[in-house]
């Protein structure tokens, strides 16, 4: 009877130990991924704002276990810095779960060119606005090709002259890797979002479309942003861009 009890305990523990072993192995492995993109019109993480000229964006992700460091840097094509984001993120939900939730924070640096006062020449200086940002990102995997969720971001300006408080809330649907042919796939991510900056708010719709081909290194993307109603200064009725993205080959580093 004791042997049968020990056998049953071992039977139930074996899958758990195997899963636990996989979790530990995953936590010990450092994964590195990234991408570089070029666009005719730089559109920011809040899609109602844009650089209004061509830009290039670098993304990187270094993750280990549930933690990740995700820096993002953007420049205009004349090599002037646009913004730098240094994300630290933590995944609250367990691996292989259909429900996922991330929390994150970053120090954001926004670079603004300003004319030098009391000068006859058109000389400019680079001003750096600093922001402290928090994010919450719950989402649910409905199927292999469909994810739905909510994204919340709050930003607070640190130095004088910056935007004091920004709230950004979006409802999104992510439809990915839909086959157009044997080699071509398309993805579409519509988002309905609310934006509030220092008491001035607005409602918007943005959609990102991506097109990829098998064995072709470039992914084609386009973002379109439509303003429904807004009191936010700088909001334009319609924004769009085309972006070429080159995914950098990632890798894993084991201890």
């Amino acid at each position: 009877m004791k042997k049968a009890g020990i056998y049953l305990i071992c039977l139930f523990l074996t899958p758990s130990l195997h899963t636990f072993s996989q979790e530990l192995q995953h936590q010990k492995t450092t994964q590195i991924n990234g991408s570089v993109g070029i666009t005719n019109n730089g559109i920011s993480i809040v899609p109602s704002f844009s650089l209004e000229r061509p830009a290039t964006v670098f993304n990187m992700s270094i993750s280990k276990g549930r933690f990740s460091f995700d820096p993002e840097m953007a420049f205009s094509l004349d090599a002037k810095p646009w913004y730098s984001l240094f994300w630290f993120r933590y995944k609250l939900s367990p691996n292989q779960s259909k429900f996922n939730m991330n929390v994150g924070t970053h120090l954001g640096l926004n670079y603004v060119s300003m004319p030098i006062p009391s000068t006859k020449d058109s000389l400019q200086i680079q001003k750096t606005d600093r922001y402290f940002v928090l994010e919450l990102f719950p989402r649910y995997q409905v199927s292999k090709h469909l994810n739905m969720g909510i994204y919340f971001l709050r930003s607070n300006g640190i130095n004088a002259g910056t935007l004091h408080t920004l709230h950004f809330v979006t409802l999104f649907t992510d439809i990915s890797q839909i086959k157009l042919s044997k080699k071509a796939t398309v993805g579409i991510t519509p988002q309905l979002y609310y934006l509030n900056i220092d008491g001035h708010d607005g409602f918007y719709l943005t959609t990102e479309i991506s097109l990829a081909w098998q064995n072709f290194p470039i992914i084609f993307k386009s973002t379109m942003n439509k303003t429904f109603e807004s009191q936010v200064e700088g909001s334009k009725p319609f924004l769009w861009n085309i972006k070429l993205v080159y995914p950098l080959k990632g890798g894993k580093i084991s201890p």
Side-chain angles (χ1 to χ4, degrees), residues 33-167:
N33 295 286
S35 68
V36 57
I38 186 170
T39 175
N40 68 312
N41 180 23
I43 294 179
S44 72
I45 186 173
V46 179
S48 56
F49 301 118
S50 71
L51 186 61
E52 298 184 1
R53 59 180 184 268
T56 182
V57 181
F58 297 90
N59 290 280
M60 180 175 287
S61 179
I62 304 170
S63 61
K64 185 173 183 179
R66 297 188 183 186
F67 288 95
S68 70
F69 173 57
D70 307 316
E72 179 178 332
M73 289 166 283
F75 302 84
S76 64
L77 290 192
D78 54 0
K80 290 184 178 180
W82 177 20
Y83 66 79
S84 299
L85 310 178
F86 302 96
W87 283 105
F88 291 89
R89 291 185 168 107
Y90 180 73
K91 184 179 179 182
L92 294 173
S93 52
N95 293 327
Q96 300 177 349
S97 172
K98 286 194 172 184
F99 176 78
N100 291 282
M101 180 179 289
N102 288 17
V103 293
T105 182
H106 81 240
L107 173 65
L109 305 177
N110 188 53
Y111 307 100
V112 182
S113 295
M114 300 181 61
I116 299 177
S118 304
T119 58
K120 295 181 180 179
D121 300 326
S122 57
L123 299 177
Q124 292 186 331
I125 59 173
Q126 196 79 18
K127 178 176 176 288
T128 303
D129 293 334
R130 296 174 299 158
Y131 294 90
F132 178 71
V133 181
L134 296 171
E135 72 170 3
L136 183 64
F137 186 21
R139 58 205 181 275
Y140 183 77
Q141 183 180 1
V142 181
S143 67
K144 180 181 178 181
H145 302 288
L146 178 61
N147 286 270
M148 302 180 71
I150 303 172
Y151 180 79
F152 172 75
L153 180 145
R154 177 190 169 98
S155 171
N156 289 91
I158 297 176
N159 51 301
T162 59
L163 301 175
H164 182 63
T165 304
L166 180 148
H167 293 92

Side-chain angles (χ1 to χ4, degrees), residues 162-177:
T162 59
L163 301 175
H164 182 63
T165 304
L166 180 148
H167 293 92
F168 173 62
V169 183
T170 177
L171 305 174
F172 79 92
T173 300
D174 181 25
I175 306 169
S176 62
Q177 297 182 344

